[in-house]
Structures are given as structure tokens and as C-alpha cells.
Amino acid sequence: MTALPLINRVAIIGAGPLGLAAARVLLSEKAFTHISVFEQRSSVGGVWNHTPEHASISIPSIDPHSRETKTDDVYPSPVYDLLETNITKGLMCFPTHQFPRDALLFPPHAAVLQYLRAYAADLLPHIEFDTRVDDARKVDGAWQLTLATPTGSSTRVFDALVVANGHYTTPYVPALPGLASFAATHPDAVQHSKNFRHPAAYAGRKVLLVGNGVSGFDIAQQLLPHVAAPLLQSIRNPAATPPCSPQIRVVPTITAFAPQRRTVYFATGPPEHDVDVVLFATGYLHSHPWLHPPDPAAPLTTTGARVENLFHHIFYAPDPTLAFVGLPMKAIPFPVGHSQAVVVARAWSGRLALPGREAMRAWEAIEVEKKGAGRGFCVYGFPEDAEYMDLLAEWADEAREGCDGAMQPVRWSKKDRWIREHQPDIRRAFKAARAAGGAPVCEEDVGWGWKGQEAGEGTGEE
């Protein structure tokens, strides 16, 4: 077992969704004397704070240790103008707060930000805004944070640290041959989805979209009515992730660029000339350049593909006074992050024992063997995310009894699991209803009511 020191003072980095969840859960534990949340923006919500400003992005962008910079005195958000959630509001929400009944089934980004502001209302006394963490390291057995504010810098000391700054800060743009010179010769011709704001900006232009993940798929749908036909899309495995429309011409993996005639070369087939915009929807690097792990032999980020040396994507194995929330990808982030925070709160309050360092490292080794050491390591689609939430709930249940009001982990019912499984179908039905002028607010509005009720199974809720 790992023996933890007495933890009274807790710092949380980030007042986005999961930093807020961590604060609420830790406060409910009633075991800590001081909880401070540090947020570099001037309001809660993290990336859900839509900004018109485009991020300044290095081309290529492969350094996980680069620092985020402001654009026009604002930290740019990756949220684009027409973004809607790809998760139904009933699954997306935190267990203590529901979306309004009249909110759309898949809320637009402005509704999510409004929801988060309501969720954070009673947490504001614990949040320090316009406060950037420039450095965090262990000094004499405590976490020493160097903080920068508009009025100067200061140093604060804490017993434990929650990292909840998300993973949509540092774009990943691969270092392909000729890309840097192509971008230098044709300014604004190479972009990342973090730059994308509105499809009308690409009207009549020849666009090559790279990637077909969640953002790539959604951006493709938005671009189609505006760009010069056909929209080109480079998809690594089109059989597994087909394009959103037959109007898209799928091209092979890119191998090189040439500034002359704005040319892009592919693994097979002829090159494409006169490409106006290459838009990379290739995801982000995990990046914590301000965070210095206590054990130099156990780094947190090397390539940026994942955060390393963690136990169940939460605790830093050499020193579990460092914890992360929100790392699993393609999971439902709000409830997963909430349940992760419950485990953290119970461990740091002394109610829940953690295994020894070697056992934690063994878990990581097994996961690497199963999923690889790259970006797929932290990908949790369905049913993996449901199984992970079950694991968190069972883990939290091992804790000895705590105070009244301590937060509980999220437990999905049969209905929740059924809705989670059918998210893509429900979203397609929602899109069709919206195109026909409808405003669906629940699954029943799009023909996807819970089928278990018809079979007499009920919701599966206790």
C-alpha cells in the first residue's frame, strides 16, 4: 500500500468542467481545510468559453512542452461557431445538476457554457481567476506553485495537486516533408481545427481536410455546402471511419507538400494541385510544460501522445498527491471526471487505500500491452467507458464510511447504457429533425425512447 501524507491544502488547476467537478467533490468530503482553484481565464467553463480569436499555431506542431500563448489578450478556445455537443444532455450532465428541460437534446456550445456557469455559482469563492500557473513542483515535501496574475507573481504551497486543465490546448500537426515551407510560402493555407470558426470563411475554396475523428466528421459536414466541390478528406482508415457524405472525395494518407502550385502528395495516386487550405483535424497533444514531476525518472509527457506513469489515468504512481481528472478520450467526460474526483477525494481524505507504486506501474504496463503506448492508450469508447465508470464506482465503494453529504460516483442505469450505445443513431435522428425545423429536447422527440420500458425492464435505476 502507498502511505499518503496528511492532506489539508489542495490546489486544482483549471476551472473548466472537470476542475469545477473536482472542487465540488473535494468540498463535499469535508476533509480538507483549504481548496483553491486556479484559472487563467477570467471566467469558468474552460474551452467552452467560445472566442472569435484564432490560435497562433506553429507548423508543424509536435512539441508537448510548448506553452500556450494569448491572442489579442485572450486564450483562444477550440470551440467553433456552430459547435453542438455530440452527447445527449441527460448523459453529459453532472449528477447534481441537470440541463434545463427546454434545452436541445444536443445543446449548442453557448448552452453548455450557461450550464457550467450555473453549476459553478456556489464554487466561485474558491476560484482565483486570471491566475496562470507558471510552475508547479515538489519542494520540501509540498507542492510549490508559482502563480502569475495581472498584478505580479507569487508562490503558494499545497499538500496535493489536481490537474484539470484539459487536453485541447496544444494542437498536433505532424511534421510532414515540405509542410513548413508550404505554410511559410502560403500564409493561412495550413490550419488546425483549433483555427476553425465558421464554414463560410472557406466559401469557394479548394479544401483538404485531414482526419475523420469527432471534430473532423463534424467540420466536414459544415464545410460541404460552402467549399469548392468536392471537399477532399484524408482518412487513414475509411473503411472503419467512412466520410459523412458521398460528396466527399477521400484521398490517401499525405506524404509530402510542395509550395509550387500548392501541391499535396499522397501515399498512392496522383498529387493534388492548387489546394487553398489544408485543415488538420488531427487532435491535440497532452501538454503540461509548467508541471515538474517529483521523480525525473518517471516523466508525465514525452511525446504528448498520453500522460504517462499514472494509475487508472488518475494518480501519479511515484507520488499520488498528484492526480489528474478528465484524461480518458471518447468517454463521456463530465460523469467520468466526477467519478474520478470521488476516488481522489476518498483516497486523499484517508478513507480509501491505494496500492503500492509497483502495483500501479504494473497496471500501466498491462494497459500498454493491450492498447499500445500511443494515443490509443487513453481512448475509451462504448462499452469501455461504461466499464471504466463501473470500475471507478466499485473502487470508491471500497472506502470506509465518510461524512454525510460526501459525493457519490456516477452509476449508469440500463437506460443510460442503452442511450450511450445508440448516441450516433440518436444524433443522426436529431440532425434530421433540426434540418426539418424541429427543436428536439429528448430522445423520444427523435424516435429513440428507451426500449427497455416496452420489454418491461424499467430503467434499471434504484
Side-chain angles (χ1 to χ4, degrees):
M1 295 294 178
T2 295
L4 292 175
L6 179 65
I7 295 174
N8 288 316
R9 304 160 297 174
V10 178
I12 300 171
I13 314 303
L18 301 187
L20 297 173
R24 183 174 297 285
V25 170
L26 287 164
L27 285 165
S28 78
E29 191 72 13
K30 296 183 176 64
F32 312 105
T33 59
H34 194 81
I35 296 173
S36 294
V37 183
F38 299 110
E39 171 53 52
Q40 65 184 4
R41 292 179 171 88
S42 59
S43 60
V44 302
V47 297
W48 292 99
N49 283 281
H50 173 268
T51 59
E53 293 81 4
H54 290 202
S56 176
I57 296 172
S58 300
I59 304 297
S61 178
I62 57 173
D63 181 10
H65 306 294
S66 63
R67 299 234 174 190
E68 183 179 21
T69 57
K70 289 185 175 182
T71 300
D72 296 332
D73 205 36
V74 171
Y75 289 103
S77 165
V79 168
Y80 39 89
D81 294 359
L82 304 179
L83 177 71
E84 299 170 334
T85 69
N86 63 336
I87 306 166
T88 50
K89 64 183 183 183
L91 277 189
M92 181 175 182
C93 65
F94 292 115
T96 56
H97 292 68
Q98 303 296 311
F99 277 88
R101 286 183 177 272
D102 60 352
L104 289 172
L105 180 59
F106 291 89
H109 63 79
V112 177
L113 181 59
Q114 185 177 13
Y115 167 82
L116 291 172
R117 286 174 174 169
Y119 178 81
D122 59 337
L123 301 173
L124 295 178
H126 300 275
I127 305 173
E128 299 182 35
F129 294 106
D130 296 308
T131 302
R132 186 183 69 241
V133 178
D134 279 349
D135 189 89
R137 65 183 67 216
K138 239 0 189 352
V139 178
D140 297 329
W143 284 98
Q144 179 176 288
L145 272 58
T146 302
L147 308 172
T149 68
T151 59
S153 63
S154 63
T155 300
R156 303 264 287 277
V157 175
F158 296 88
D159 302 311
L161 179 62
V162 178
V163 180
N165 67 329
H167 38 71
Y168 297 102
T169 297
T170 306
Y172 170 63
V173 179
L176 295 168
L179 177 61
S181 60
F182 185 98
T185 305
H186 307 291
D188 296 325
V190 179
Q191 301 176 14
H192 185 270
S193 58
K194 191 171 182 177
N195 296 119
F196 181 79
R197 284 299 177 268
H198 198 283
Y202 302 84
R205 306 176 79 182
K206 184 174 183 178
V207 176
L208 169 57
L209 178 64
V210 184
N212 196 36
V214 173
S215 293
F217 191 89
D218 193 35
I219 290 172
Q221 290 180 308
Q222 294 190 29
L223 287 173
L224 270 174
H226 298 272
V227 301
L231 171 63
L232 307 175
Q233 189 171 14
S234 177
I235 302 175
R236 187 181 302 275
N237 187 355
T241 56
C244 67
S245 168
Q247 300 175 46
I248 292 174
R249 180 153 67 86
V250 176
V251 295
T253 303
I254 298 171
T255 56
F257 293 81
Q260 299 80 9
R261 295 188 60 190
R262 305 173 79 105
T263 301
V264 181
Y265 295 92
F266 304 100
T268 59
E272 283 289 337
H273 302 291
D274 305 315
V275 176
D276 294 312
V277 178
V278 181
L279 179 57
F280 284 89
T282 42
Y284 293 80
L285 298 170
H286 291 280
S287 179
H288 311 93
W290 44 269
L291 178 56
H292 303 273
D295 183 354
L300 290 164
T301 50
T302 50
T303 66
R306 66 183 180 97
V307 181
E308 302 162 41
N309 291 295
L310 300 187
F311 181 53
H312 286 297
H313 306 288
I314 303 174
F315 296 103
Y316 179 60
D319 184 349
T321 63
L322 173 61
F324 290 73
V325 291
L327 292 180
M329 301 287 291
K330 296 189 178 180
I332 310 297
F334 292 12
V336 167
H338 170 95
S339 292
Q340 289 179 316
V342 170
V343 170
V344 171
R346 295 185 182 188
W348 286 356
S349 68
R351 294 203 289 134
L352 180 64
L354 294 176
R357 174 173 176 169
E358 291 309 312
M360 294 195 217
R361 295 292 297 272
W363 173 86
E364 184 183 34
I366 292 169
E367 288 296 296
V368 167
E369 184 70 23
K370 289 193 300 186
K371 305 178 81 171
R375 299 171 79 181
F377 178 81
C378 52
V379 172
Y380 281 74
F382 183 82
E384 281 187 299
D385 57 349
E387 294 165 356
Y388 181 63
M389 289 178 65
D390 288 343
L391 179 149
L392 293 173
E394 292 167 6
W395 191 5
D397 286 345
E398 295 174 6
R400 60 180 173 79
E401 188 174 349
C403 68
D404 291 339
M407 291 284 178
Q408 298 297 315
V410 175
R411 304 174 196 274
W412 272 352
S413 66
K414 291 180 181 179
K415 176 182 177 181
D416 294 330
R417 292 168 189 269
W418 182 85
I419 291 174
R420 171 67 180 101
E421 180 181 4
H422 293 286
Q423 287 290 289
D425 302 310
I426 296 170
R427 183 157 170 76
R428 278 191 290 270
F430 173 82
K431 288 281 192 183
R434 292 291 284 158
V441 300
C442 62
E443 288 83 3
E444 288 77 7
D445 286 348
V446 295
W448 280 89
W450 162 234
K451 303 297 185 183
Q453 291 179 336
E454 299 173 7
E457 296 179 18
T459 64
E461 297 168 344
E462 296 181 358

